[in-house]
Amino acid sequence: MAKRGKRYQEAAKLVDSNKLYSPSEAIALVKKCANAKFDETVEVAFKLGVDPRHADQQVRGTVVLPNGTGREVRVLVFAKADKAEEARQAGADYVGAEDLAEKIQGGWTDFDVAIATPDMMGVVGKLGRILGPRGLMPNPRTGTVTPDVAKAVQESKAGKVEYRVNKEAGMHVPIGKVSFTEEQLYQNFVALMDAVVKARPAAAKGTFIRKVHLSSTMGPGVRLNPQEAAAAK
């Protein structure tokens, strides 16, 4: 643990805590600060100008990152008959109905995304207590309850990520790995920012994106200029 702390301290010396960095500067710095022995995830952290206690100030959605997330995504689909076959053809890792529900009720959650056709929600609804806290519950708002299971599977495999404001008005969203090029991370960052800016609730008052930080799994946070971040193209 001490060794990890020393590495972090060395990396933190490279970051000026009083400076607001541009997106491209921040990405370069995060890559430079990442010195773990594994391919760290690069994450964007937001502080938003919303009050999540109000239903009309929720911020939630999905975006397909142009360069993916850099991780293998295991997709489970609840579907029957033709839709089950469509899911298999699209590359779903697990496809089933009551059999999968039973397995999940037994404690199995070895997958990253769950998708369901609308007619399967009677079965899936009973799994809310297990899937909900893990962020795995299929939801029409995120495109994971849909008759077009093939498209949903392909998007998940291609690097679709969900963003969702928490009760502290914060959000944490991965945009790739430190092994990505700066250009790949920048393109993913722009795609995420564009989606979040467009998701601003009409009821939100004042500045919407108040703080933005970029960091790797084991690295220090780098503060971005919120205006520059929101306007990134």
Side-chain angles (χ1 to χ4, degrees):
M1 199 66 185
K3 191 177 178 185
R4 179 186 141 188
K6 188 177 177 183
R7 275 214 301 263
Y8 180 93
Q9 286 163 20
E10 288 302 311
K13 287 177 187 174
L14 302 171
V15 181
D16 182 348
S17 60
N18 297 312
K19 180 176 176 178
L20 294 176
Y21 291 85
S22 72
S24 52
E25 287 174 329
I27 287 167
L29 193 50
V30 165
K31 280 175 65 68
K32 191 174 180 182
C33 289
N35 53 23
K37 292 176 182 176
F38 62 93
D39 194 6
E40 298 177 56
T41 295
V42 178
E43 185 178 84
V44 185
F46 296 88
K47 182 71 172 179
L48 301 178
V50 295
D51 185 346
R53 291 174 299 177
H54 299 293
D56 62 355
Q57 293 191 46
Q58 292 299 311
V59 180
R60 184 179 186 182
T62 60
V63 58
V64 178
L65 301 176
N67 300 299
T69 60
R71 62 190 281 259
E72 190 66 37
V73 180
R74 298 161 300 173
V75 179
L76 177 147
V77 178
F78 291 100
K80 289 183 175 179
D82 292 349
K83 292 297 178 184
E85 188 52 37
E86 282 178 33
R88 289 188 191 95
Q89 293 287 333
D93 299 276
Y94 310 102
V95 182
E98 286 84 1
D99 56 328
L100 283 182
E102 201 173 304
K103 195 172 176 183
I104 290 165
Q105 280 173 330
W108 177 77
T109 54
D110 198 16
F111 52 93
D112 305 299
V113 177
I115 294 163
T117 54
D119 62 308
M120 289 303 301
M121 288 310 290
V123 173
V124 179
K126 297 169 186 173
L127 304 173
R129 280 181 161 180
I130 301 167
L131 299 182
R134 293 172 172 79
L136 294 170
M137 190 67 183
N139 187 305
R141 291 178 62 185
T142 59
T144 47
V145 177
T146 173
D148 194 349
V149 288
K151 182 185 177 188
V153 170
Q154 287 159 359
E155 285 185 344
S156 295
K157 289 283 188 181
K160 184 166 85 168
V161 294
E162 181 181 355
Y163 54 89
R164 184 178 188 179
V165 70
N166 60 29
K167 60 185 179 182
E168 285 85 33
M171 285 198 309
H172 296 265
V173 190
I175 58 164
K177 298 286 187 178
V178 293
S179 59
F180 282 23
T181 65
E182 289 180 27
E183 180 66 17
Q184 286 174 319
L185 287 170
Y186 186 81
Q187 288 170 352
N188 282 359
F189 177 82
V190 167
L192 172 64
M193 291 304 305
D194 187 52
V196 172
V197 168
K198 286 176 179 171
R200 175 182 178 139
K205 305 287 185 229
T207 304
F208 178 49
I209 296 177
R210 297 194 174 170
K211 292 181 183 177
V212 185
H213 284 77
L214 205 64
S215 65
S216 62
T217 307
M218 307 294 284
V222 179
R223 288 174 68 205
L224 279 75
N225 181 310
Q227 286 75 36
E228 275 191 69
K233 297 293 177 196

